[in-house]
C-alpha cells in the first residue's frame, strides 16, 4: 500500500502493493483440451509407468507426467468422476495431447507429459493416460474452491535409497504420505523440499518414490535437490509449469542442459505466488549463472506477478538457515550472503528449504540479520515488518537419513556467520527453533486471509518404518537426544503464526458471494491488519454492497507554528487474479474518532455506483486549520462499497494510498 507524507523537510514516499478480496459470481467452467491423436499401431501395447500428478500454472490446471515403453501418440483422458460408470469414460471425456522425448536415463523408454486445463472448482475428476485400447489404470483428484483459505503440505528429502535399503525407505515414505494426507485430506498441494531420490538416474529409486498413490491424487510441487541434479530423470519424471530452462539455471550452464536437470519455475495458486529455484546452480565458476541469475529470475517474476499475489513463497533445496551437518557448508554460506537481502526487498513472506535432514524455523530475518531483537526463541506468533522473512527447513519425510544438530561457532551473528543465539546459545543465531528427534515429520502450512500458520508434525515414531533407526545409522531416537520417549504420530513439534506485513498503507478486503450473501466483518488491530469488509450482500437483485471501516489514523501535531495539515486518500482498482472492478465503486464517510490536533473530518463521498468517481480520485479524510491545538487526534472513515452484481466471484484487494501534507 502507499503512504505519501509531505512536510517542511520534503516529501517522503513509501510503496507497497496489495489487494482487496471480492466474491465471484459462480459460473460454470468449460473444460478445454486438444483432441486426442490416434495412437500409432504397435505390435506390443506400450507399458505406462511412473504416473504422477503435478501442479499446473494455476488452480485450474494440473500436469500429468509418465513413462512409456513405446514412442506412440498418447493423451490424458479426463472426465468428472460422476460421469465415469463401471470404469468407462463417457464420450464427452476431454483429452489432452501429450508431448515428450526419448529418455536419457538408464531405463530407456520415453517420457510423456500433458497439461490439463479448464478445471472447474469443487469437482471430483477421474483421469487415465495412454491411447485407445491401451489405457493406464484410472486415478482421481478433486478441486476445491478457487478462492479463500487452504492448506498445503511440505516434505523434506525423501531421498529414497539413501539408507541402503530401498524397501525400508519406501515404507517410511509411504507411511508419511498415509499419515499426512490421511490427517489432511483437503490439503491442496504437496510441496517438495528436493532430493526425491538418492541417485539421479537410478530408476528403482524413482519407482519407490512414486509408489504412493497420493502422488496421483494430489498435485506434487517438485523441487530439485543435489541428489536429483546429476541426470535427466528428474526432468523426465517431474514436468513443471512456467519453467525457464536457460543455461543460467543449470549447475554447469548450457553445456549441462542435455545431461543434467535444472531450471527455475513459478506458478500462482489461489493468490499465492510460488517460485521454485534450482539451488544447485549457485556459483558462476561452475558454468551456470549462479545466485545472481536466480535473484534476477525472482525479481522478474515478482515484478510481473507479485501484484496479483497475497503472499510470496520461495522453495529451493539448499537451506541457508538450518541447524545440522550442512549449516556451515561453504556453498550455503555463499547463498546466505547472496539471497536474504534480495528476498527482503522483494517482499517474500516464507521460504521453504530442505537438504539438512533436520527441522528448523528461523527468526524473522531482514537483509541477512535478525529483524526483531525482541523476538524470543520458539515464539509462536510473528508480525513481519517490512522486509521480514521466515525460513523453514524440513526434516526427512521418509526416515532414510537424518543429520544431527551441530554447534555454533564464533563466526558471527549475521550474514554468513554461524555464531550462537544470544538468547539460546545452543542454537545458531538465526534459528528460533531447531529440532532433531530421528523421527519422520512433515510441515503443514495453513494459508489464511491474513496469516500463515506453519506446523512441524510428526509422521512416525522410533518404531518401524524408520530406516535410519532400524539400520542403526543413528545412535538414539526421541526428543532431547533420546532422553525422552518418542511422541505420538500426529503431534505438533513446532507451530508459528506469521502475520504478513501490510506496509504503510491499508489493505482492504471484501468477499463477494456466488448468490445470497452471508455475514460480513472487518479486522482492526494494532499491527495495521487487513481491512476486511467481509462478504458483500446482494441488494434489490441489482448490486452487491459491503461496509467496513479503515484502520483509524492518529495525527500528532505539536509544532509551535500550528500550521494546517491534511490527510487525503485514493484507492486503485480492485483485482483478483486477472479479474477487476473499479475503485470508484468505493465511497466513505470520514469521522473524528478522537478529538485532537484540530482534526475536522472531510466530506462524505458516495460510491461511484450512484454516480461520480468515489475514492478513485484523492479525497480529504481529515484536516486542521492554522492555529489548531498542539496535540494528537484520530481520524477514521466508514467505508461503503457498491458494485454491480455482474462482478465475478472472487477475493479482491485494492490499495488505499494515503497522503499527509503539513504546511
Amino acid at each position: 500500500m502507499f503512504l505519501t507524507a509531505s512536510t517542511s523537510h520534503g516529501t517522503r514516499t513509501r510503496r507497497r502493493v496489495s489487494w482487496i478480496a471480492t466474491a465471484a459470481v459462480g459460473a460454470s467452467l468449460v473444460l478445454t483440451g486438444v483432441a486426442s491423436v490416434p495412437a500409432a499401431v504397435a505390435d506390443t501395447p506400450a507399458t505406462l509407468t511412473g504416473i504422477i500428478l503435478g501442479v499446473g500454472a494455476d488452480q485450474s490446471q494440473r500436469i500429468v507426467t509418465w513413462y512409456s515403453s513405446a514412442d506412440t501418440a498418447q493423451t490424458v483422458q479426463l472426465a468428472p468422476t460422476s460421469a465415469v460408470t463401471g470404469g468407462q469414460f463417457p464420450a464427452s471425456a476431454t483429452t489432452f495431447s501429450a508431448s515428450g522425448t526419448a529418455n536419457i536415463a538408464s531405463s530407456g523408454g520415453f517420457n510423456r507429459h500433458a497439461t490439463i486445463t479448464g478445471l472447474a472448482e469443487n469437482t471430483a475428476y477421474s483421469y487415465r493416460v495412454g491411447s485407445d485400447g491401451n489405457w493406464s489404470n484410472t486415478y482421481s483428484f478433486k478441486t476445491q474452491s478457487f478462492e479463500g483459505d487452504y492448506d498445503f503440505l511440505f516434505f523434506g528429502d525423501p531421498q529414497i535409497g539413501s539408507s541402503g535399503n530401498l524397501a525400508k525407505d519406501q515404507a517410511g515414505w509411504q507411511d508419511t504420505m498415509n499419515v499426512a494426507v490421511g490427517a489432511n485430506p483437503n490439503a491442496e498441494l504437496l510441496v517438495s523440499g528436493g532430493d526425491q531420490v538418492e541417485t539421479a538416474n537410478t530408476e528403482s529409486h524413482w519407482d519407490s518414490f512414486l509408489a504412493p498413490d497420493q502422488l496421483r491424487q494430489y498435485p506434487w510441487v517438485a523441487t530439485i535437490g543435489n541428489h536429483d541434479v546429476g541426470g535427466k530423470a528428474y526432468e523426465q519424471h517431474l514436468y513443471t509449469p512456467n519453467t525457464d530452462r536457460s543455461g543460467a539455471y543449470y549447475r554447469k550452464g548450457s553445456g549441462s542442459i542435455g545431461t543434467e536437470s535444472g531450471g527455475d519455475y513459478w506458478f500462482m495458486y489461489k493468490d499465492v505466488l510460488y517460485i521454485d529455484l534450482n539451488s544447485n546452480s549457485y556459483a558462476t565458476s561452475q558454468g551456470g549463472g549462479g545466485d545472481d541469475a536466480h535473484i534476477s529470475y525472482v525479481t522478474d517474476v515478482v515484478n510481473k506477478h507479485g501484484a496479483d499475489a497475497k503472499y510470496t513463497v520461495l522453495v529451493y533445496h539448499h537451506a541457508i538457515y538450518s541447524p545440522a551437518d550442512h549449516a556451515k557448508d561453504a556453498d550455503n554460506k555463499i547463498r546466505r550472503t547472496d539471497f536474504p537481502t534480495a528476498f527482503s526487498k522483494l517482499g517474500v513472506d516464507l521460504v521453504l528449504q530442505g537438504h539438512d535432514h533436520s527441522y528448523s524455523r528461523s527468526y524473522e530475518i531482514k537483509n541477512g540479520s535478525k529483524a526483531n531483537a525482541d523476538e524470543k526463541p520458539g515464539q509462536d506468533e510473528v508480525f513481519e515488518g517490512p522486509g521480514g522473512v521466515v525460513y523453514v527447513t524440513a526434516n526427512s519425510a521418509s526416515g532414510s537419513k537424518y543429520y544431527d544438530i551441530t554447534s555454533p561457532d564464533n563466526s558471527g551473528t549475521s550474514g554468513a556467520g554461524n555464531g550462537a543465539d544470544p538468547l539460546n546459545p545452543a542454537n545458531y543465531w538465526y534459528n528460533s527453533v531447531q529440532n532433531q528427534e530421528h523421527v519422520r515429520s512433515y510441515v503443514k502450512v495453513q494459508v489464511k486471509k491474513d496469516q500463515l500458520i506453519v506446523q512441524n508434525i510428526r509422521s512416525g515414531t522410533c518404531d518401524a518404518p524408520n530406516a535410519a533407526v532400524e539400520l542403526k545409522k543413528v545412535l538414539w531416537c526421541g526428543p532431547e537426544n533420546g532422553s525422552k520417549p518418542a511422541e505420538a504420530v500426529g503431534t505438533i513439534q513446532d507451530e508459528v503464526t506469521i502475520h504478513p506485513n501490510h506496509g504503510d498503507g491499508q489493505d482492504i478486503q471484501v468477499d463477494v458471494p456466488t448468490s445470497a450473501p452471508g455475514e460480513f466483518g472487518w479486522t482492526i488491530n494494532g499491527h495495521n491488519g487487513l481491512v476486511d469488509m467481509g462478504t458483500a450482500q446482494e441488494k434489490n437483485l441489482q448490486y452487491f454492497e459491503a461496509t467496513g471501516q479503515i484502520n483509524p489514523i492518529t495525527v500528532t501535531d505539536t509544532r509551535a507554528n500550528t500550521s494546517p495539515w491534511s490527510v487525503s486518500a485514493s484507492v486503485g482498482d480492485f483485482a483478483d487474479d486477472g479479474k477487476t472492478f473499479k475503485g470508484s465503486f468505493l465511497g466513505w464517510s470520514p469521522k473524528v474518532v478522537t478529538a485532537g490536533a484540530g482534526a475536522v473530518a472531510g466530506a462524505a463521498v458516495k460510491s461511484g455506483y450512484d454516480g461520480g468517481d468515489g475514492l478513485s480520485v484523492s479525497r480529504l479524510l481529515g484536516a486542521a486549520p492554522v492555529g489548531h491545538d498542539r496535540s494528537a487526534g484520530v481520524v477514521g472513515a466508514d467505508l461503503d462499497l457498491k458494485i454491480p452484481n455482474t462482478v465475478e466471484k472472487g477475493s479482491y484487494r485494492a490499495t488505499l494510498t494515503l497522503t499527509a501534507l503539513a504546511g
Side-chain angles (χ1 to χ4, degrees), residues 232-256:
K232 298 300 288 185
Y234 171 88
E235 289 183 8
Q236 293 165 181
H237 279 295
L238 303 170
Y239 197 83
T240 52
N242 299 323
T243 305
D244 190 330
R245 300 196 187 278
S246 304
Y249 310 116
Y250 280 74
R251 182 172 58 171
K252 300 175 183 177
S254 58
S256 65

Side-chain angles (χ1 to χ4, degrees), residues 42-118:
D43 294 334
T44 303
T47 302
L48 308 170
T49 59
I51 300 169
I52 184 170
L53 184 68
V55 71
D58 59 32
Q59 59 272 14
S60 70
Q61 297 186 8
R62 302 289 188 269
I63 296 176
V64 183
T65 309
W66 67 96
Y67 271 13
S68 171
S69 63
D71 190 13
T72 58
Q74 297 172 24
T75 67
V76 172
Q77 189 175 47
L78 180 82
T81 299
S82 60
V84 178
T85 304
Q88 298 299 310
F89 279 63
S92 59
T94 308
T95 56
F96 301 85
S97 294
S99 302
T101 60
N103 283 335
I104 306 174
S106 58
S107 62
F110 305 86
N111 58 83
R112 293 288 184 266
H113 66 268
T115 300
I116 298 171
T117 61

Side-chain angles (χ1 to χ4, degrees), residues 304-317:
K304 289 179 178 177
H305 307 286
D308 297 324
K310 295 181 176 72
Y311 302 99
T312 298
V313 176
L314 296 190
V315 190
Y316 53 80
H317 180 61

Side-chain angles (χ1 to χ4, degrees), residues 258-577:
T259 58
E260 292 193 344
S261 293
D264 289 356
Y265 74 97
W266 68 274
F267 63 95
M268 187 79 74
Y269 193 90
K270 291 175 70 166
D271 300 326
V272 178
L273 175 61
Y274 294 85
I275 306 175
D276 198 287
L277 307 177
N278 172 23
S279 58
N280 296 283
S281 175
Y282 73 95
T284 55
S285 60
Q286 299 173 296
D291 288 344
D292 285 345
H294 296 308
I295 291 171
S296 295
Y297 180 84
V298 175
T299 300
D300 183 61
V301 172
V302 170
N303 286 343
K304 289 179 178 177
H305 307 286
D308 297 324
K310 295 181 176 72
Y311 302 99
T312 298
V313 176
L314 296 190
V315 190
Y316 53 80
H317 180 61
H318 295 80
I320 62 174
Y321 298 116
S322 66
D325 281 20
H326 291 304
K328 301 178 185 179
D329 286 357
D331 59 327
N332 278 335
K333 290 184 178 181
I334 292 172
R335 296 184 190 92
R336 200 186 306 155
T337 302
D338 292 345
F339 281 165
T341 297
F343 295 167
S344 290
K345 289 181 178 178
L346 291 169
V348 172
D349 297 289
L350 178 65
V351 177
L352 301 174
Q353 312 163 119
H355 192 49
D356 215 8
H357 296 251
S358 54
Y359 174 79
S360 64
R361 184 244 299 178
S362 78
Y363 288 112
E364 179 189 356
I365 302 294
K366 179 179 180 180
N367 299 337
S369 298
K370 185 178 179 182
N372 180 3
D374 295 328
E375 185 180 349
K376 300 296 188 294
Q379 186 171 307
D380 63 3
E381 194 168 28
V382 175
F383 291 87
E384 289 182 336
V389 185
V390 174
Y391 296 74
V392 171
T393 304
N395 201 351
S396 171
S398 68
S400 64
K401 181 192 291 184
Y402 304 106
Y403 290 143
D404 287 335
I405 291 173
T406 53
S407 299
D409 54 32
N410 61 358
S411 59
T413 55
S414 65
N418 288 97
D421 178 7
L423 301 178
N424 188 4
N427 283 17
Y428 289 102
W429 66 265
Y430 39 76
N431 282 335
S432 173
V433 176
Q434 301 180 170
N435 179 264
Q436 180 58 276
E437 299 176 5
H438 297 158
V439 298
R440 294 177 282 112
S441 65
Y442 67 97
V443 175
K444 176 180 178 179
V445 180
Q446 300 174 53
V447 180
K448 294 187 175 294
K449 188 176 293 186
D450 200 27
Q451 59 190 24
L452 299 170
I453 300 175
V454 179
Q455 299 169 317
N456 187 44
I457 303 174
R458 298 174 179 92
S459 57
T461 64
C462 295
D463 298 329
N466 193 348
V469 173
E470 294 178 72
L471 299 171
K472 301 189 185 305
K473 303 286 185 178
V474 295
L475 300 178
W476 51 267
C477 183
E480 298 185 15
N481 295 339
S483 63
K484 294 183 177 181
E487 301 282 351
V489 170
T491 54
I492 297 172
Q493 182 274 321
D494 177 47
E495 179 173 350
V496 64
T497 299
I498 302 170
H499 300 269
N501 175 53
H502 289 288
D504 294 315
Q506 298 182 25
D507 292 346
I508 305 172
Q509 177 160 323
V510 61
D511 293 333
V512 177
T514 299
S515 55
E519 297 294 330
F520 69 91
W522 57 90
T523 300
I524 301 174
N525 58 50
H527 297 276
N528 186 27
L530 180 72
V531 177
D532 183 4
M533 297 182 71
T535 301
Q537 299 186 36
E538 192 170 12
K539 302 289 187 179
N540 301 323
L541 300 180
Q542 295 179 342
Y543 62 88
F544 289 115
E545 183 172 21
T547 59
Q549 295 181 358
I550 69 169
N551 294 322
I553 298 168
T554 299
V555 179
T556 301
D557 192 351
T558 59
R559 293 172 299 160
N561 62 6
T562 61
S563 297
W565 58 262
S566 66
V567 177
S568 301
S570 62
V571 71
D573 287 348
F574 289 74
D576 175 32
D577 196 15

